[in-house]
Amino acid sequence: MEYKILPVGDSALTVVFGNKIDPETSRIVRIARQYLTGKQLPGVTEYVQTYATLMVHYRPLEAGYEELVARIDAELSQMDTEGGRMGRNTILIPVCYGGEYGPDLPTVCDHAGLSREEVIRRHSGTDYLIYMLGFMPGFVYLGGMDPSIATPRLKDPRERLEKGSVGIAADQTGIYPLVSPGGWQIIGRTPLELYDPERDTPILYEAGEYIRFVPVTEEEFLRIRREVEAGTYVYQWLRDDPGEGGQPGREG
Amino acid sequence: MAMHVIFPGPRTTIQDHGRLGFQNSGFAPGGFMDRVASHMANALVDNEDGEAVLEFCLIGPVLRFDEDVNLAVCGGDFSMDVDGTVWPAARAVHVPAGATVRIRTGTMGTYGSVAIGGGLDIPEIMGSRSTNLRCGIGGFRGRALMAGDVIPLRDPKNGAEDLSWRRVPARRIVAPADRAITIRVIPGPQEDMFTPEGVRTFYGSSYVISSHSDRMGFRLNGPRVESVRGYDILSDGIVNGSIQISGTGEPIVMMADRQTTGGYAKIASVINVDIPLFAQLRPGQKVQFEQCTVGEAQALMRLAAEEWQKHRLLLEEEAARRAQDSLRKAENSGAPAPAVPVRAPRGIVTRRSGWARQQRCYLKQRRNRCR
């Protein structure tokens, strides 16, 4: 495992593990994040995982840069990137495709030259790796979309995309957790609250986990929406997890 | 027992130390634009450093309180008009119930912090009272202040004691508008994306603060910084003060309400002690960047922290002396002794404990999530 550490201002540093988008680099960044989190390094306030880097935010009054770099080097040399392979956690995201929830589904069908059913099947038929979150709370950068349904962005971005909008932009797919302007081709909407500040975990998922879209009818969409609003909805996970003890660094 | 907003000012929000621990979920901490000014204003009214303040942009609010209260304004060249009497920044003002408080704007500075003795009684969301306009959470109902808002005070008794003796040294804040101010930066992490000529341009030119600047970021106008090939990188983390070079070749300095990640190359980052100063620059003012090492920047932070600790201690000692005095006077006059408040000394120690509380809350949330 090769990496380099660079300062980012005086209160953060970045551990660079690579320079491309691929699941293996992402896996290493995630293991490093969980491993270091478990070590509770003095002065460190939070870790931010991106495609190929791990940003470490710290308090210089508690740990200086040189000191922290030495500590991270020492920890990473002890880290086992192979042992304790993490289980795969997949969250199921119900999506009502097309109609008023997905006004651009016909555009995507035309562009791909596929039927509505086939586009939905291809979009929901994959587990997407969450490479990172950013841009807005809970916004996921996903990998693994079927290239046959890739569609360019709208020429004229919409001023308002509803919360939960599921869209395609070129070869990427994603969900808008908040109302936002945007140029994505919107093919559906999820009734889930991906971001809820009142919840114990305001954001449901984290980098390294997977998302699977599950097509639902409008009736199901409305029923789930009511359950979400009433707080009775149980979020559906497929957990292939070795358990609390089996994960390196997870909460120590 | 409440603060009444008569006139809000165009962009007045409630801000504190910000939301820590959620950047990995795409949630920027937000919080004070000018940390130093907010700490000062809070110290003046005997609040903890990280207490929520009213933060305004250029034009301050008009307020009224239905209880005596201690207020302070810090930041730029602002002053406080209480029923026609004008008080300068960097001192506490004891405001009687019913008086009208107007914040006046001077010639320098952009962001002002109004601290309210005892703080505002608004809930903490995700460990903070900061307003996050994008998510519509925190502060007062998740939005900027509006005329007619009535916000309860958390400690209405704060105003019973006149704190107007409290002063902090006024900050030598901003250079006159016609001179470029030097802001120190640490190069990287993508300086190698730029040509040597581009790097020379960046450090050798002065840039003008654009009017398209807000809590998310300050755009700068000036010479293009030449890149080796394009400005796009694989998205990575962004800090408060990260300087991105966007597609136009001009710099954008990312501020409190920034995105947590981004795909433009970052040539440098503003050092921590210079961020409050930079935040006070007005559109049209000029800035020039100067390189600094991480070691130097962190030594400056330690120095600033010690300096600030000293000021807080001086205030504490003076407060204790005054309490003793009034106790003695009361004993001499034979009147019953007034209650002397007993509490932990304030300052950096308590600021850190605020941080520790947030961290515990964060870890609890992480644990719940793993179950």
Side-chain angles (χ1 to χ4, degrees), chain A residues 56-70:
Chain A
V56 183
H57 292 266
Y58 65 99
R59 291 181 177 268
L61 300 184
E62 291 161 46
Y65 177 71
E66 300 296 339
E67 185 188 341
L68 189 56
V69 169

mmCIF file of all heavy atoms in Angstrom, chain A residues 56-70:
data_model
loop_
_atom_site.group_PDB
_atom_site.id
_atom_site.type_symbol
_atom_site.label_atom_id
_atom_site.label_comp_id
_atom_site.label_asym_id
_atom_site.label_seq_id
_atom_site.Cartn_x
_atom_site.Cartn_y
_atom_site.Cartn_z
ATOM 1 N N VAL A 56 -7.823 14.443 6.921
ATOM 2 C CA VAL A 56 -7.826 14.372 8.382
ATOM 3 C C VAL A 56 -7.877 15.812 8.908
ATOM 4 O O VAL A 56 -6.964 16.596 8.659
ATOM 5 C CB VAL A 56 -6.551 13.676 8.903
ATOM 6 C CG1 VAL A 56 -6.598 13.552 10.420
ATOM 7 C CG2 VAL A 56 -6.369 12.320 8.236
ATOM 8 N N HIS A 57 -8.972 16.162 9.590
ATOM 9 C CA HIS A 57 -9.079 17.485 10.216
ATOM 10 C C HIS A 57 -8.566 17.369 11.650
ATOM 11 O O HIS A 57 -8.929 16.428 12.348
ATOM 12 C CB HIS A 57 -10.531 17.950 10.232
ATOM 13 C CG HIS A 57 -11.076 18.251 8.863
ATOM 14 N ND1 HIS A 57 -11.066 19.511 8.317
ATOM 15 C CD2 HIS A 57 -11.637 17.450 7.935
ATOM 16 C CE1 HIS A 57 -11.592 19.470 7.105
ATOM 17 N NE2 HIS A 57 -11.962 18.230 6.845
ATOM 18 N N TYR A 58 -7.753 18.302 12.088
ATOM 19 C CA TYR A 58 -7.201 18.200 13.452
ATOM 20 C C TYR A 58 -7.050 19.575 14.090
ATOM 21 O O TYR A 58 -7.158 20.601 13.419
ATOM 22 C CB TYR A 58 -5.879 17.452 13.440
ATOM 23 C CG TYR A 58 -4.748 18.137 12.683
ATOM 24 C CD1 TYR A 58 -3.778 18.866 13.370
ATOM 25 C CD2 TYR A 58 -4.652 18.050 11.305
ATOM 26 C CE1 TYR A 58 -2.742 19.488 12.690
ATOM 27 C CE2 TYR A 58 -3.623 18.667 10.620
ATOM 28 C CZ TYR A 58 -2.674 19.388 11.315
ATOM 29 O OH TYR A 58 -1.657 20.009 10.637
ATOM 30 N N ARG A 59 -6.808 19.539 15.402
ATOM 31 C CA ARG A 59 -6.587 20.761 16.163
ATOM 32 C C ARG A 59 -5.102 20.910 16.431
ATOM 33 O O ARG A 59 -4.548 20.196 17.252
ATOM 34 C CB ARG A 59 -7.341 20.705 17.492
ATOM 35 C CG ARG A 59 -8.829 20.772 17.307
ATOM 36 C CD ARG A 59 -9.549 20.728 18.637
ATOM 37 N NE ARG A 59 -10.968 20.857 18.389
ATOM 38 C CZ ARG A 59 -11.610 22.015 18.379
ATOM 39 N NH1 ARG A 59 -10.964 23.127 18.659
ATOM 40 N NH2 ARG A 59 -12.886 22.055 18.110
ATOM 41 N N PRO A 60 -4.466 21.871 15.745
ATOM 42 C CA PRO A 60 -3.017 22.018 15.866
ATOM 43 C C PRO A 60 -2.571 22.318 17.295
ATOM 44 O O PRO A 60 -1.434 22.040 17.649
ATOM 45 C CB PRO A 60 -2.701 23.197 14.952
ATOM 46 C CG PRO A 60 -3.862 23.316 14.047
ATOM 47 C CD PRO A 60 -5.043 22.828 14.806
ATOM 48 N N LEU A 61 -3.457 22.876 18.123
ATOM 49 C CA LEU A 61 -3.039 23.165 19.493
ATOM 50 C C LEU A 61 -2.885 21.874 20.288
ATOM 51 O O LEU A 61 -2.252 21.842 21.329
ATOM 52 C CB LEU A 61 -4.050 24.086 20.193
ATOM 53 C CG LEU A 61 -4.270 25.451 19.553
ATOM 54 C CD1 LEU A 61 -5.216 26.294 20.381
ATOM 55 C CD2 LEU A 61 -2.941 26.186 19.370
ATOM 56 N N GLU A 62 -3.485 20.797 19.799
ATOM 57 C CA GLU A 62 -3.384 19.524 20.505
ATOM 58 C C GLU A 62 -2.388 18.570 19.849
ATOM 59 O O GLU A 62 -1.845 17.696 20.513
ATOM 60 C CB GLU A 62 -4.770 18.866 20.598
ATOM 61 C CG GLU A 62 -5.692 19.638 21.537
ATOM 62 C CD GLU A 62 -7.154 19.311 21.308
ATOM 63 O OE1 GLU A 62 -7.477 18.125 21.195
ATOM 64 O OE2 GLU A 62 -7.957 20.261 21.233
ATOM 65 N N ALA A 63 -2.191 18.699 18.547
ATOM 66 C CA ALA A 63 -1.196 17.877 17.856
ATOM 67 C C ALA A 63 -0.690 18.670 16.655
ATOM 68 O O ALA A 63 -1.475 19.085 15.814
ATOM 69 C CB ALA A 63 -1.826 16.564 17.387
ATOM 70 N N GLY A 64 0.634 18.869 16.605
ATOM 71 C CA GLY A 64 1.230 19.592 15.480
ATOM 72 C C GLY A 64 1.285 18.710 14.237
ATOM 73 O O GLY A 64 1.088 17.492 14.315
ATOM 74 N N TYR A 65 1.559 19.320 13.094
ATOM 75 C CA TYR A 65 1.553 18.591 11.824
ATOM 76 C C TYR A 65 2.559 17.437 11.817
ATOM 77 O O TYR A 65 2.190 16.286 11.549
ATOM 78 C CB TYR A 65 1.840 19.564 10.671
ATOM 79 C CG TYR A 65 1.927 18.897 9.320
ATOM 80 C CD1 TYR A 65 0.789 18.396 8.707
ATOM 81 C CD2 TYR A 65 3.143 18.772 8.658
ATOM 82 C CE1 TYR A 65 0.854 17.776 7.469
ATOM 83 C CE2 TYR A 65 3.223 18.158 7.416
ATOM 84 C CZ TYR A 65 2.079 17.656 6.826
ATOM 85 O OH TYR A 65 2.156 17.041 5.612
ATOM 86 N N GLU A 66 3.827 17.741 12.150
ATOM 87 C CA GLU A 66 4.880 16.710 12.080
ATOM 88 C C GLU A 66 4.537 15.532 12.985
ATOM 89 O O GLU A 66 4.677 14.371 12.602
ATOM 90 C CB GLU A 66 6.231 17.300 12.502
ATOM 91 C CG GLU A 66 6.724 18.471 11.642
ATOM 92 C CD GLU A 66 6.995 18.050 10.202
ATOM 93 O OE1 GLU A 66 7.194 16.850 9.954
ATOM 94 O OE2 GLU A 66 6.977 18.939 9.318
ATOM 95 N N GLU A 67 4.069 15.874 14.168
ATOM 96 C CA GLU A 67 3.724 14.866 15.169
ATOM 97 C C GLU A 67 2.616 13.949 14.652
ATOM 98 O O GLU A 67 2.679 12.720 14.764
ATOM 99 C CB GLU A 67 3.260 15.663 16.401
ATOM 100 C CG GLU A 67 2.940 14.900 17.635
ATOM 101 C CD GLU A 67 2.306 15.842 18.672
ATOM 102 O OE1 GLU A 67 2.466 17.094 18.555
ATOM 103 O OE2 GLU A 67 1.627 15.330 19.580
ATOM 104 N N LEU A 68 1.598 14.579 14.037
ATOM 105 C CA LEU A 68 0.454 13.813 13.552
ATOM 106 C C LEU A 68 0.850 12.940 12.354
ATOM 107 O O LEU A 68 0.426 11.785 12.254
ATOM 108 C CB LEU A 68 -0.683 14.768 13.182
ATOM 109 C CG LEU A 68 -2.024 14.121 12.853
ATOM 110 C CD1 LEU A 68 -2.505 13.246 14.009
ATOM 111 C CD2 LEU A 68 -3.059 15.187 12.536
ATOM 112 N N VAL A 69 1.698 13.486 11.470
ATOM 113 C CA VAL A 69 2.151 12.701 10.314
ATOM 114 C C VAL A 69 2.905 11.469 10.805
ATOM 115 O O VAL A 69 2.675 10.352 10.316
ATOM 116 C CB VAL A 69 3.041 13.553 9.383
ATOM 117 C CG1 VAL A 69 3.716 12.669 8.340
ATOM 118 C CG2 VAL A 69 2.217 14.639 8.695
ATOM 119 N N ALA A 70 3.780 11.652 11.786
ATOM 120 C CA ALA A 70 4.546 10.524 12.319
ATOM 121 C C ALA A 70 3.596 9.474 12.895
ATOM 122 O O ALA A 70 3.757 8.267 12.677
ATOM 123 C CB ALA A 70 5.515 11.015 13.390
#
